[in-house]
Amino acid sequence: MRTTRSKAAAAARIEAARTARTAGELLERLRSCFVRTQTWQHAGRYVSALVSEIPKRNGWTIAQQVGDRTPDRTQRLLNRAVWDGQAAASQVRRFVVTGLDAVAGRRTRRGLRIAALDETGQQKAGTATCGVKRQYMGCAGRLANGINTVHLAYVRERVGHALIAARQWIPAEHLSDPDTRSQMGIADGLVFRTKGQLAIDICTDAYADGVTFDFVCGDEVYGNCTQLREFFEQRQQAYVLRVASNFMLTLNAETRMTCAKAVALLATDKRRWQVRSAGPGSKGQRWYAWAWIAAGSRHYLLVRRHLTSGDLAFHYCYVPHGQPLTLARLVRAAGLRWPVEETFEFSKDSFGLDQCQARLHTAILRHTVLVMTALAICAITAARLKTRTGTQAPPPDTPDQRPPAEPGMIPLTIPETARLLATTWHRPKPADHDTHWRNWRRRHQARARWFHQRARLRRDYVLAS
């Protein structure tokens, strides 16, 4: 038992050292994006607070975690400090792609390279935050007041995934009013872009950094965007994009019909359907029935049918000349869109992507980039250690198979990697640090309450007069 524990302790120390080394690699890359060394150093401390296990990650809690006496430096980092957030995002993107590709290069089967497009949001209570609007929020599952950001995730099959680009969606009414633009910190040159057009922008940034993809995947928001599909086809970029059942297909020069009608007419024969896995999940392989229909030159409709309910999902696909074209390859690509949802979950739960209380456009972007930095560090470390830390027992072969005596352990996950890094980055605080912050918060709240009461008195006097 003592030997086993000592081996486990040694492994933990090695994993923590590798995580810290990966963090140092990326933070050193970001140095060129900052004018002042002190700002770059504080950005590193900000990232260390993001990977810590504090319950909330906002300006006050981050400042307390990094050892500051007030949140002034943290707020300055996001709002007024001189550093290039887009250049930092480019460095994070190159780091992620290079890191995951290097891990994949050590394997016999390197797997597909997928660009997964999706958006995620953060609910907001007020109206002063840049981009805030009552809209459908996927995080809430209903109409709510909040902001939305389009993200691009890089998914390397059987290796790992992380966010590599982001652009916030801003309503047209915010951009058309000069006073609103000024209050929300929106630059003069920024124009309204739909989510599909923002996807074009972030993919253009990725291509400019030399990133290549086997497929681009996305949900119906992006599949229904004609401009986005044309952009990919001009670049000879293969894609597998979800579309609605009423999406119109051009089967030939004389025939146009919806996806639902095409399936009803052309996929009635059971031999057209093949049962294939959409990829492994935490509970095993995800089996569906698949069929595909030619929809013009190099275009195809990929249809997924649930084996139990029979529900259909439609994917509009494009594969340029000279690239491999098989049903199995399209199915693999379609199944690799789901990791972006897991990436959002990690980014929010472990790094506070949706906990930012910043209001200005630049501050929101900078917080997002620093979260992407924290996620990239842990994602690359987890990918590098995947084969060394996974000791899970083989999956069962029969429903009545007895469980193994020793189940082993799953590979090191991104949240567990973050916990490793948090212990490595832990800095002792002065004895009175927590007491100081309790008093600071109460004093700040008292001051804010006084000003709120004065504002209400002024409003009441106006109404009474």
Side-chain angles (χ1 to χ4, degrees):
M1 181 64 71
R2 186 178 304 166
T3 303
T4 303
R5 288 180 179 176
S6 63
K7 287 183 178 180
R13 287 194 297 270
I14 293 172
E15 292 161 5
R18 290 178 181 271
T19 307
R21 189 158 56 248
T22 305
E25 292 173 16
L26 181 51
L27 292 176
E28 187 60 37
R29 286 192 181 203
L30 297 181
R31 177 65 185 87
S32 61
C33 306
F34 294 81
V35 174
R36 300 177 70 245
T37 301
Q38 292 86 345
T39 307
W40 168 64
Q41 292 172 339
H42 195 72
R45 289 192 288 272
Y46 192 102
V47 173
S48 72
L50 292 177
V51 301
S52 68
E53 296 192 74
I54 54 177
K56 291 290 184 182
R57 296 165 181 83
N58 54 50
W60 291 10
T61 59
I62 288 174
Q64 182 177 358
Q65 177 66 21
V66 302
D68 289 343
R69 305 291 282 182
T70 68
D72 294 348
R73 294 177 66 186
T74 297
Q75 292 169 353
R76 184 181 183 279
L77 174 70
L78 297 182
N79 292 292
R80 299 182 303 279
V82 182
W83 61 285
D84 193 336
Q86 291 293 352
S90 177
Q91 292 292 345
V92 173
R93 177 163 49 249
R94 296 174 185 177
F95 181 79
V96 167
V97 173
T98 302
L100 293 181
D101 286 354
V103 176
R106 297 197 294 265
R107 301 186 177 184
T108 305
R109 296 178 59 193
R110 299 190 176 185
L112 295 176
R113 299 166 297 178
I114 301 295
L117 290 163
D118 205 353
E119 73 274 357
T120 190
Q122 176 184 357
Q123 289 184 258
K124 293 286 187 178
T127 60
T129 303
C130 176
V132 69
K133 182 179 181 178
R134 185 167 178 78
Q135 55 190 303
Y136 179 78
M137 303 293 294
C139 56
R142 57 182 174 82
L143 286 175
N145 202 53
I147 61 175
N148 259 315
T149 302
V150 177
H151 290 267
L152 178 66
Y154 185 70
V155 182
R156 193 71 201 236
E157 189 178 14
R158 296 187 298 274
V159 175
H161 48 85
L163 299 177
I164 61 172
R167 291 289 178 92
Q168 186 186 358
W169 178 80
I170 303 175
E173 56 267 28
H174 290 184
L175 296 166
S176 60
D177 181 37
D179 292 337
T180 302
R181 293 180 71 110
S182 177
Q183 293 170 4
M184 294 183 174
I186 302 174
D188 292 337
L190 202 63
V191 297
F192 175 73
R193 304 284 282 172
T194 64
K195 292 176 181 177
Q197 291 169 334
L198 291 175
I200 292 176
D201 295 340
I202 60 180
C203 288
T204 300
D205 291 343
Y207 292 137
D209 284 339
V211 184
T212 57
F213 311 107
D214 293 313
F215 287 95
V216 176
C217 299
D219 61 17
E220 295 178 8
V221 173
Y222 308 99
N224 291 330
C225 180
T226 303
Q227 187 178 354
L228 178 62
R229 298 196 309 272
E230 291 175 347
F231 166 77
F232 289 137
E233 292 175 20
Q234 289 170 2
R235 296 193 60 96
Q236 294 294 290
Q237 172 65 67
Y239 60 73
V240 176
L241 299 172
R242 281 283 298 270
V243 292
S245 60
N246 60 357
F247 180 83
M248 296 300 297
L249 299 172
T250 303
L251 301 182
N252 53 53
E254 300 176 353
T255 307
R256 296 185 77 244
M257 63 180 66
T258 64
C259 293
K261 188 173 182 181
V263 172
L265 291 176
L266 303 175
T268 55
D269 190 342
K270 291 183 178 180
R271 290 175 295 180
R272 292 192 66 112
W273 295 88
Q274 298 182 30
V275 176
R276 292 179 177 271
S277 172
S282 60
K283 299 179 181 179
Q285 297 292 331
R286 297 172 295 144
W287 297 101
Y288 296 94
W290 301 84
W292 60 335
I293 299 170
S297 176
R298 309 303 294 182
H299 292 84
Y300 304 87
L301 176 67
L302 178 67
V303 188
R304 187 190 72 193
R305 187 179 68 197
H306 196 278
L307 295 179
T308 304
S309 66
D311 293 339
L312 300 179
F314 306 93
H315 305 78
Y316 191 61
C317 309
Y318 168 74
V319 181
H321 289 282
Q323 295 190 19
L325 174 60
T326 62
L327 175 62
R329 201 163 188 262
L330 294 180
V331 168
R332 285 166 58 201
L336 286 170
R337 186 181 69 85
W338 67 268
V340 69
E341 301 291 346
E342 187 179 72
T343 302
F344 287 151
E345 180 184 350
F346 292 156
S347 299
K348 292 180 177 182
D349 295 346
S350 299
F351 308 113
L353 178 64
D354 61 343
Q355 296 172 12
C356 177
Q357 295 182 350
R359 292 183 174 182
L360 301 183
H361 180 247
T362 299
I364 295 172
L365 166 67
R366 289 177 170 181
H367 173 78
T368 302
V369 170
L370 293 173
V371 169
M372 288 167 52
T373 302
L375 173 64
I377 292 168
C378 297
I380 296 302
T381 304
R384 290 173 176 173
L385 294 172
K386 190 171 187 178
T387 57
R388 301 180 184 181
T389 58
T391 60
Q392 186 174 4
D397 298 317
T398 60
D400 57 349
Q401 183 174 335
R402 293 178 63 83
E406 174 51 56
M409 292 188 291
I410 65 171
L412 196 66
T413 62
I414 290 177
E416 289 299 333
T417 307
R419 294 184 181 98
L420 271 176
L421 187 55
T423 58
T424 305
W425 272 351
H426 175 72
R427 296 182 178 89
K429 309 293 191 306
D432 67 334
H433 189 69
D434 291 340
T435 301
H436 166 81
W437 269 96
R438 280 194 295 270
N439 294 338
W440 187 91
R441 283 192 295 267
R442 291 170 59 198
R443 188 175 296 109
H444 182 89
Q445 290 163 348
R447 184 183 298 109
R449 183 176 297 182
W450 188 90
F451 278 103
H452 284 312
Q453 291 169 346
R454 188 180 69 173
R456 174 162 291 187
L457 282 175
R458 185 179 293 113
R459 185 184 63 188
D460 293 343
Y461 284 140
V462 171
L463 291 175
S465 61

